Amino acid sequence: MIKLKLNKLPINVNEVLASVSSTEAGAIDIFVGSVRSKTANKQVVRLEYEAYDAMAMREMEKIAEEAMEKWPVHKIAIHHRKGILEVSDIAVVVAVSTSHRQESFEACKFIIDSLKQRVPIWKKEVFNDGEEWVSAHA
């Protein structure tokens, strides 16, 4: 099972965790990405995320399917916010359930790394003294 969300609503980590819970799972790995207060010694005021929604959702689904082919995954959830986020807000959550911890760790890392490289979501960092679009892609 794959559960994907891309919207402006705050992410409820407990709901994401519950969505990947399974009686077959001995492990759940969860990555939570939040807005930090500094980047390169600059004070962050906020982040602004924009996405090409249809393409982003398709690519997130492809990434989840690839993870399910590589590891014996039970469930995957990927939630990403867009819009204006303040410092400490949660921007992204990836959760993976598997029977064993190693597969869960590896699949979760693969998903967040692939998301950052491939999904058309753009981030603007707003500082006290200006703003800058940040390339998430390597």
Side-chain angles (χ1 to χ4, degrees):
M1 189 222 53
I2 299 170
K3 184 173 181 188
L4 307 173
K5 279 192 181 178
L6 175 65
N7 60 39
K8 293 184 177 186
L9 299 174
I11 300 170
N12 182 320
V13 177
N14 289 329
E15 285 180 12
V16 178
L17 180 61
S19 76
V20 298
S21 294
S22 165
T23 57
E24 298 174 355
I28 295 175
D29 193 71
I30 190 162
F31 171 83
V32 178
S34 60
V35 179
R36 62 182 173 266
S37 63
K38 286 189 177 184
T39 297
N41 294 323
K42 288 184 170 183
Q43 192 68 38
V44 174
V45 174
R46 68 179 180 275
L47 297 182
E48 297 177 12
Y49 284 97
E50 292 184 12
Y52 181 171
D53 290 14
M55 186 181 284
M57 292 295 286
R58 278 194 305 271
E59 196 61 32
M60 288 180 356
E61 186 170 18
K62 284 183 197 175
I63 291 166
E65 288 170 350
E66 288 172 25
M68 293 186 99
E69 290 174 9
K70 293 177 184 250
W71 294 278
V73 171
H74 298 293
K75 297 180 181 179
I76 294 172
I78 306 170
H79 293 215
H80 203 299
R81 284 196 59 195
K82 58 184 188 173
I84 297 172
L85 281 71
E86 304 297 329
V87 171
S88 298
D89 283 351
I90 295 172
V92 61
V93 176
V94 174
V96 178
S97 62
T98 62
S99 294
H100 303 284
R101 69 181 176 272
Q102 191 62 37
E103 292 95 358
S104 188
F105 288 139
E106 291 172 3
C108 191
K109 182 179 183 328
F110 168 81
I111 292 167
I112 190 62
D113 289 348
S114 298
L115 185 144
K116 292 289 193 175
Q117 293 172 358
R118 295 169 35 190
V119 178
I121 298 172
W122 302 278
K123 175 174 73 173
K124 179 168 55 172
E125 292 181 321
V126 179
F127 306 104
N128 288 331
D129 62 352
E131 57 191 39
E132 177 179 334
W133 284 99
V134 179
S135 173
H137 307 291

